[in-house]
Amino acid sequence: MTKAKLLIGFLCLFSGYVAAAPATAENDVAQAVDHLTQAMLHKDIPALEKLTAPTLSYGHSSGKVQDKKAFIADIETGKSAFKTLEMQKQTITLSGDTALVRNHFSAQALNGTEVVPTEIENLQIWQKQHGKWLLVGRQAFRI
């Protein structure tokens, strides 16, 4: 009887561990998205470098597609600047070391001194590389 209780206890413990693993990964991805959002808002170039993959493909709702260097340069120079920026209505779907993140990009973008309300949808693709979640792709689109 003791062996059966021990086995049942072990199985319950193991199943709890397995069930918790995706939630932890999902939380890690959500945190990476939040860090990227804050880095874009506050022009934190070192953070943008750390959160994006070398092969980044960053698509805008206008159809313009940038690589990592061009994306970060636009943030650094203020060509892409924000008074406010937040991701809303976010969903995260995990598949191994890849995460698909859909969210609503809500911002008050800055065009010089003019504030431009921006409401678009995003698909972000994150990949776990060397133990860190990195943005490998993003495509925005108008609703």
Side-chain angles (χ1 to χ4, degrees), residues 18-84:
V18 170
T24 300
E26 189 173 312
N27 289 340
D28 291 346
V29 172
Q31 188 173 37
V33 172
D34 185 54
H35 288 164
L36 179 74
T37 303
Q38 292 304 312
M40 291 171 65
L41 178 62
H42 299 293
K43 293 185 182 182
D44 186 345
I45 303 309
L48 291 173
E49 291 283 351
K50 290 178 186 175
L51 289 163
T52 54
T55 57
L56 175 65
S57 176
Y58 193 91
H60 294 267
S61 62
S62 66
K64 177 173 140 183
V65 178
Q66 295 178 303
D67 62 9
K68 178 176 181 168
K69 183 179 176 182
F71 162 67
I72 291 175
D74 277 2
I75 298 290
E76 188 170 29
T77 62
K79 188 171 182 181
S80 288
F82 306 95
K83 183 176 179 182
T84 65

Side-chain angles (χ1 to χ4, degrees), residues 53 57 101-102 139:
S57 176
V101 179
R102 289 189 177 275
Q139 184 59 59

Side-chain angles (χ1 to χ4, degrees), residues 101-116:
V101 179
R102 289 189 177 275
N103 52 37
H104 179 80
F105 180 105
S106 180
Q108 291 183 342
L110 297 173
N111 184 4
T113 58
E114 179 187 0
V115 176
V116 181

Side-chain angles (χ1 to χ4, degrees), residues 88-107:
Q88 303 170 343
K89 302 176 189 172
Q90 184 161 280
T91 62
I92 298 171
T93 304
L94 294 167
S95 180
D97 286 344
T98 303
L100 301 178
V101 179
R102 289 189 177 275
N103 52 37
H104 179 80
F105 180 105
S106 180

